Amino acid sequence: FIGINRKNMLFVELRFGEIAKDIFYELVKREEEINDRLDYMAEFDVVNRRIGTYIYFAKNREILIKRIVRVVDKYIKYFTQYTFPSGTK
């Protein structure tokens, strides 16, 4: 999910439903590794099974868009190995 929340923050989140809870808990075990790869910008919400990055909304939209794009790119590159069956490209 990508959006803006009530706190006026842009966010990129992975949300794990009941079916994918095992994947989420495997990722929680790798929290340190994940944060290292994502420049310590990922927050883990165990109660709601979410992994997210939150960025304050800034006036300079161009820089803001570039930040979000970089975060999304890192999320896709890192988490694809866990969210798609092996062999899927």
Side-chain angles (χ1 to χ4, degrees), residues 53-71:
T53 297
Y54 307 90
I55 301 170
Y56 283 105
F57 192 78
K59 291 182 181 180
N60 189 331
R61 286 187 175 184
E62 187 175 322
I63 290 174
L64 196 57
I65 290 168
K66 288 177 182 179
R67 284 182 188 160
I68 288 293
V69 168
R70 282 199 176 176
V71 169

Side-chain angles (χ1 to χ4, degrees), residues 6 16 20 28 52 64-65 72 74 76 85:
R6 291 182 215 150
F16 297 84
V28 169
L64 196 57
I65 290 168
V72 170
K74 287 180 182 191
I76 290 169

Side-chain angles (χ1 to χ4, degrees), residues 4-67:
I4 188 165
N5 64 20
R6 291 182 215 150
K7 296 177 183 177
N8 216 23
M9 295 180 82
L10 290 171
F11 66 86
V12 175
E13 283 183 339
L14 293 177
R15 300 174 185 174
F16 297 84
E18 188 65 31
I19 293 172
K21 70 181 179 183
D22 292 339
I23 295 171
F24 175 76
Y25 291 115
E26 262 316 299
L27 293 171
V28 169
K29 292 176 188 175
R30 300 172 181 261
E31 183 175 355
E32 182 63 30
E33 173 190 334
I34 291 167
N35 266 313
D36 184 45
R37 289 282 189 95
L38 299 177
D39 300 322
Y40 293 89
M41 293 183 65
E43 296 181 25
F44 286 71
D45 178 352
V46 178
V47 173
N48 297 303
R49 291 192 304 263
R50 295 179 185 176
I51 301 171
T53 297
Y54 307 90
I55 301 170
Y56 283 105
F57 192 78
K59 291 182 181 180
N60 189 331
R61 286 187 175 184
E62 187 175 322
I63 290 174
L64 196 57
I65 290 168
K66 288 177 182 179
R67 284 182 188 160

Side-chain angles (χ1 to χ4, degrees), residues 80-89:
T80 298
Q81 63 187 321
Y82 299 104
T83 56
F84 287 100
S86 68
T88 302
K89 293 185 179 183

